Amino acid sequence: MDTITDLFAAAQQWLFEAAIQPLLFAMGMGNLVEDAFDATMWLLVGVIQIVVLVAVIAPMQRWKPVEQVTDHRGIRLDMIYTVIHRLGIFRVALFFAIDPLWNAMFGSLHVMGLSSFQLDQLWPGVTDGPIASLLLYLLLFDLLGYLFHRAVHSYRWLWALHSVHHSQRQMTMWSDDRNHLLEDLLHDTMLVIASQLIGVAPGQFIAIVAISNLIESFSHANVRISFGRIGEKLIVGPRFHRLHHAIGLGHESRGRRLGGHNFAVLFPIWDILFGTAHFGGNYEATGIRDQLPEQGGRDYGEGFFAQQWLGLKRMVGRG
């Protein structure tokens, strides 16, 4: 673990000194050097994730696809979403726009004597180890992700935003990041606040996000793979999550437009505990019911800006 950490730190330092720092000085933005060093960490993690997508998951999609991809324009758009999110463009913008607010707020709380609850000290000698604390944080953040996911499927104004994600009719490893930016802002704000409250170190927070992102990319992949009867109850895979995207099954229930099954991001245990798990499935068609021509053919937008704008219009009841 220490060796991997050291290699990553060395790579971050090299990337920063070779490219980011000279660029900042050339643009007259030397005052942002310290913040840019932290942003370089997000950039490097994103590059590693995209390499894994292309080198590992993409061959699996070619090897055993669920369906033949025909919507190449939609897939290219999903790739743009992935670049925006994985290379840190969205999170860096969030960092400069929102982080000063959180720092001021939590700084004030610390001045008042209210410190963070150190979750990794829950069981000294056990939960404070690097692997144990990472697993503990993954479980907690996954529970928060499950609850947030249930919320965006339960309230119409949130579903108006989240439907951008479900509007992709052909799921691939790139589909995970097709989200409305306002939904991402709400989601990431929740994670930042939670990490501050329980004392997650910055390096661990990035590791949590990176691991979650890769598992989510795989769960969206166009690959006919099952983890088996036991494995599918331990970690979210492509078949389990595809049912969540299935028309009239995963994100609708009992004849209602809202509701559904399989909301877990990483661990199906939350769906099992809260009664929303649905195992099995036959790799059904994905999308939203009212997209279908026979159901009205609702327009969710074909381009990035169209999807963002239509999401806002739906949120206020005008789309």
Side-chain angles (χ1 to χ4, degrees), residues 102-130:
W102 304 136
N103 292 337
M105 182 179 74
F106 285 104
S108 298
L109 291 176
H110 293 158
V111 170
M112 294 168 59
L114 299 174
S115 58
S116 301
F117 171 69
Q118 301 297 312
L119 184 63
D120 61 352
Q121 296 300 314
L122 188 65
W123 188 354
V126 177
T127 57
D128 52 0

Side-chain angles (χ1 to χ4, degrees), residues 143-297:
L143 173 59
L144 292 176
Y146 170 87
L147 295 174
F148 183 87
H149 200 178
R150 284 287 299 273
V152 298
H153 280 268
S154 301
Y155 300 98
R156 293 193 179 279
W157 72 275
L158 285 173
W159 168 248
L161 302 176
H162 188 61
S163 56
V164 170
H165 179 67
H166 281 271
S167 66
Q168 172 56 281
R169 295 295 310 279
Q170 291 202 304
M171 287 172 54
T172 69
M173 64 183 188
W174 305 106
S175 302
D176 173 47
D177 290 308
R178 178 193 280 223
N179 297 310
H180 198 283
L181 295 182
L182 180 54
E183 180 190 345
D184 281 331
L185 174 61
L186 295 172
H187 180 266
D188 284 13
T189 296
M190 175 191 71
L191 295 185
V192 168
I193 292 176
S195 68
Q196 290 277 356
L197 290 176
I198 62 175
V200 181
Q204 281 184 310
F205 181 70
I206 291 178
I208 291 166
V209 171
I211 292 171
S212 300
N213 284 164
L214 283 174
I215 294 177
E216 289 178 80
S217 292
F218 181 64
S219 69
H220 285 83
N222 177 32
V223 59
R224 191 179 291 272
I225 288 180
S226 170
F227 293 154
R229 182 177 299 179
I230 296 177
E232 284 203 339
K233 292 179 172 62
L234 299 178
I235 191 165
V236 172
R239 186 168 74 160
F240 183 85
H241 193 69
R242 186 178 179 88
L243 189 139
H244 172 71
H245 280 259
I247 297 174
L249 293 172
H251 54 89
E252 298 171 308
S253 63
R254 299 186 181 92
R256 297 184 293 110
R257 290 183 59 190
L258 300 180
H261 304 281
N262 298 8
F263 298 104
V265 179
L266 305 180
F267 307 115
I269 183 63
W270 307 120
D271 280 300
I272 295 172
L273 289 176
F274 292 106
T276 54
H278 191 306
F279 294 99
N282 294 309
Y283 302 95
E284 291 85 356
T286 58
I288 306 172
R289 189 191 299 272
D290 62 11
Q291 282 180 297
L292 303 177
E294 62 271 23
Q295 296 291 332

Side-chain angles (χ1 to χ4, degrees), residues 69-80 168 170-172 174-175 178:
V69 172
T70 57
D71 183 15
H72 297 286
R73 179 180 179 182
I75 303 306
R76 286 194 295 270
L77 177 60
D78 287 352
M79 294 173 70
I80 292 174
Q168 172 56 281
Q170 291 202 304
M171 287 172 54
T172 69
W174 305 106
S175 302
R178 178 193 280 223

